[in-house]
Amino acid sequence: MKYKALDAKEYARENMKGIWAAALNPFDGDLALDEQALRSNIRHWIDELDIQGLFIAGKQGEFFSMSLEERKRNFEIAVDECAGKAGVIVSVSDQNMNTAMELALHAQDCGADYIVLHAPVLSFVQDRGEVLYRYYKAFCDELDIGIAMWSHPDSGYVMQPEECARIAELPNIVAIKYSVPRPMYVELSRMVGDRILVSTSSEDEWLDNIEELGWQLYLCSSPPYLLQSAKDKRMDAYTQLAFAGQFEEARKIRDSLEPVREAIKRARPADKPQAFGKYWQSLLGQAGGRVRAPMLELTDAEKTLIGEEFGRCGLKV
């Protein structure tokens, strides 16, 4: 580890900055993890798109379809390929707490910079505050690595700002990916923004959050490599302008991406998010690959529609 638990917050504040993308995992024709394809994508994201960090083995990456050993290998590939040129945060999320801890220890040992830990499914629990605090504290007590909370309606609930603020006091809680309505993450940012980094995956709100909330971190989803190509890095461009305080120019560039956002919304089947993302990647020249069950593959008709929308969205490739 590059730091100890008591230094985790300071380390993250200094190093967890800019655009971090959640990686889709390319599976080959036999549905094995295509390691070379993943490495190729990582090199493109870092070297050509200037993405500053990667979120590995999350829901975008279909971790739920992967074995424990595959998830560990996923961590190792990312750490090896990023090689200090980009940050690495890995999802150790699992409903089995022992499995999550085993993954967290592996992440720490293999050189990941941080872990992200999804709030657990808490069936029948009505008063969640103490349960959630003790859950995250158990990981903090065992680990030095910085931990990002992750709250999303997938858990069956969302963590309340007050619950998150209490957990944020733990020494190696460094961030939260807070997938909630904007008023909730604004409230939390104002409560704990001086202690941990608050972020959400909504790209179209990213610029506003830099300007209004002083955010330094986009954590994270697939837009950084679906909205951009080596010849068209508008998300990076408006981000850098915003960080420099040039908000009017940043908004012009941000707004110029609206045709791309709308094309993605029109073309993406509601039941096939990963398959869509991978096919869009392939149109951009990245490695896409197959999805694993229970996720569904695209039909030929869906691929045709996606190709048509891609062709007129205005992205330069």
Side-chain angles (χ1 to χ4, degrees), residues 241-289:
L241 285 166
F243 283 161
Q246 299 178 44
F247 294 110
E248 184 176 354
E249 186 61 30
R251 276 190 289 274
K252 291 177 183 177
I253 298 175
R254 187 268 313 271
D255 293 348
S256 76
L257 280 168
E258 196 58 27
V260 186
R261 298 185 192 98
E262 290 300 319
I264 288 174
K265 290 176 184 177
R266 287 191 298 267
R268 181 171 50 211
D271 56 346
K272 300 176 182 178
Q274 284 91 346
F276 166 82
K278 293 181 184 187
Y279 191 67
W280 192 272
Q281 278 185 286
S282 72
L283 297 174
L284 284 164
Q286 301 171 35

Side-chain angles (χ1 to χ4, degrees), residues 10-32:
E10 180 180 358
Y11 183 87
R13 182 73 62 180
E14 293 177 358
N15 293 279
M16 210 173 188
K17 297 178 179 180
I19 295 171
W20 289 48
L24 289 157
N25 271 326
F27 299 116
D28 65 19
D30 296 322
L31 294 180

Side-chain angles (χ1 to χ4, degrees), residues 156-227:
Y157 63 93
V158 292
M159 295 166 63
Q160 296 303 301
E162 296 79 9
E163 295 167 339
C164 298
R166 183 185 179 201
I167 296 166
E169 297 292 340
L170 294 167
N172 43 335
I173 297 292
V174 301
I176 182 170
K177 182 178 180 182
Y178 205 26
S179 302
V180 297
R182 194 167 193 270
M184 288 184 69
Y185 71 67
V186 168
E187 180 182 359
L188 181 62
S189 188
R190 289 173 176 160
M191 291 171 70
V192 301
D194 60 338
R195 281 167 277 167
I196 67 170
L197 302 172
V198 180
S199 187
T200 194
S201 60
S202 177
E203 179 273 329
D204 56 0
E205 297 173 353
W206 167 227
L207 174 55
D208 295 334
N209 293 332
I210 298 172
E211 183 175 14
E212 297 172 20
L213 302 175
W215 281 12
Q216 69 178 54
L217 175 66
Y218 176 81
L219 183 74
C220 50
S221 191
S222 55
Y225 55 83
L226 297 184
L227 293 178

Side-chain angles (χ1 to χ4, degrees), residues 22 55-61 63 71 89-94 115-120 132 135-136 147-155 157-159 164 167 173 175-180 199-201 219-220:
F55 185 119
I56 298 297
K59 288 180 283 192
Q60 294 277 2
F63 83 86
R71 294 175 70 182
I89 184 169
V90 301
S91 172
V92 304
S93 305
D94 200 276
I115 62 169
V116 63
L117 185 61
H118 202 292
L132 289 168
Y135 180 78
Y136 280 100
I147 301 169
M149 296 178 278
W150 186 6
S151 183
H152 188 283
D154 286 355
S155 296
Y157 63 93
V158 292
M159 295 166 63
C164 298
I167 296 166
I173 297 292
I176 182 170
K177 182 178 180 182
Y178 205 26
S179 302
V180 297
S199 187
T200 194
S201 60
L219 183 74
C220 50

Side-chain angles (χ1 to χ4, degrees), residues 79-99:
V79 170
D80 180 58
E81 204 62 44
C82 287
K85 295 181 180 179
V88 178
I89 184 169
V90 301
S91 172
V92 304
S93 305
D94 200 276
Q95 192 56 20
N96 183 295
M97 197 165 171
N98 290 334
T99 298

